[in-house]
Amino acid sequence: GENVEQHPSTLSVQEGDSAVIKCTYSDSASNYFPWYKQELGKRPQLIIDIRSNVGEKKDQRIAVTLNKTAKHFSLHITETQPEDSAVYFCAASEGGYQKVTFGIGTKLQVIP
Amino acid sequence: SQTIHQWPATLVQPVGSPLSLECTVEGTSNPNLYWYRQAAGRGLQLLFYSVGIGQISSEVPQNLSASRPQDRQFILSSKKLLLSDSGFYLCACPARGQGEDGYTFGSGTRLTVV
């Protein structure tokens, strides 16, 4: 089955700096890579996703990149703000109704 | 779009007591349903998934069981809770129809076993 590794496990950045979270996956059949943000005590919420037919996707301050050959993908947050503080999960799936496999999570702290 | 209802939101139970957590889904039919546990505020561990009524797959051996008595109902149970069963339990289903292939999550149940 799919195995998703995520690092770092914790990340502290100064407000305004950029944050990068990296993930690798093992199953070459995976073609859908969502990222979830989980604020303290709340459910994970999708913040951005990317499919295997594109290499990069951007949504305001958030961007994701995907390297299918190397089987790794990354989340980039620019101009970080205190409200970006949360746990971020990367995930991989074959899409459709297939099971989603999550990374261990990265606890991001943005220091004002 | 799908909506997942989970209850209760919080639960404090003594060791050895039974457990029943319920998840119901609206806005879709015959969805795949998943139970996740999140311990220590971090990683999402898949406990069970179901592709249809009465069909349950267990991902990890444990003290818990799951049942799917109806198409849109998924129940997580235990006959005797252990301290290690404490955690944040999340129900999820595929988020098809929302332009994504990931999951929609319920609001979760925070279980503390004392």
Side-chain angles (χ1 to χ4, degrees):
Chain A
E2 176 66 279
N3 181 48
V4 177
E5 296 189 355
Q6 181 174 350
H7 59 95
S9 57
T10 59
L11 179 60
S12 291
V13 299
Q14 291 290 330
E15 182 178 356
D17 288 350
S18 295
V20 180
I21 302 170
K22 298 183 178 181
C23 292
T24 61
Y25 64 98
S26 61
D27 189 349
S28 56
S30 291
N31 57 21
Y32 176 71
F33 306 92
W35 286 86
Y36 291 84
K37 175 183 180 182
Q38 186 181 27
E39 296 177 350
L40 190 63
K42 296 187 177 179
R43 77 188 85 184
Q45 301 263 22
L46 179 76
I47 54 172
I48 195 167
D49 56 16
I50 191 168
R51 298 183 189 274
S52 59
N53 57 347
V54 299
E56 184 174 358
K57 183 176 179 180
K58 194 172 182 180
D59 183 3
Q60 298 182 346
R61 297 186 295 108
I62 295 174
V64 290
T65 59
L66 171 65
N67 184 328
K68 279 217 75 177
T69 303
K71 294 197 184 72
H72 63 71
F73 55 115
S74 301
L75 176 72
H76 304 253
I77 306 174
T78 59
E79 300 172 23
T80 53
Q81 301 168 4
E83 52 264 38
D84 294 329
S85 296
V87 177
Y88 290 81
F89 293 96
C90 64
S93 165
E94 292 181 35
Y97 292 104
Q98 298 303 313
K99 191 167 50 177
V100 175
T101 302
F102 291 89
I104 192 71
T106 296
K107 186 174 183 180
L108 172 65
Q109 181 184 19
V110 180
I111 304 167
Chain B
S1 63
Q2 300 90 338
T3 302
I4 297 181
H5 300 282
Q6 266 189 261
W7 65 93
T10 59
L11 194 57
V12 180
Q13 292 284 99
V15 168
S17 63
L19 173 74
S20 181
L21 302 181
E22 190 160 344
C23 166
T24 59
V25 183
E26 292 180 0
T28 185
S29 59
N30 195 30
N32 289 359
L33 293 172
Y34 305 87
W35 276 112
Y36 282 86
R37 178 171 61 201
Q38 191 173 30
R42 292 291 298 279
L44 293 163
Q45 180 186 32
L46 179 61
L47 302 176
F48 300 96
Y49 70 94
S50 171
V51 298
I53 295 173
Q55 301 179 63
I56 307 294
S57 296
S58 175
E59 287 291 298
V60 293
Q62 59 201 305
N63 182 45
L64 303 169
S65 62
S67 62
R68 188 160 175 185
Q70 299 180 38
D71 179 41
R72 301 176 194 181
Q73 185 183 30
F74 202 21
I75 298 172
L76 185 69
S77 305
S78 174
K79 292 182 179 177
K80 289 184 178 181
L81 284 169
L82 305 173
L83 287 174
S84 57
D85 292 324
S86 294
F88 190 43
Y89 288 82
L90 289 157
C91 182
C93 76
R96 292 283 279 182
Q98 296 175 3
E100 57 167 286
D101 285 340
Y103 287 164
T104 294
F105 285 93
S107 54
T109 295
R110 186 162 302 282
L111 171 65
T112 303
V113 181
V114 296

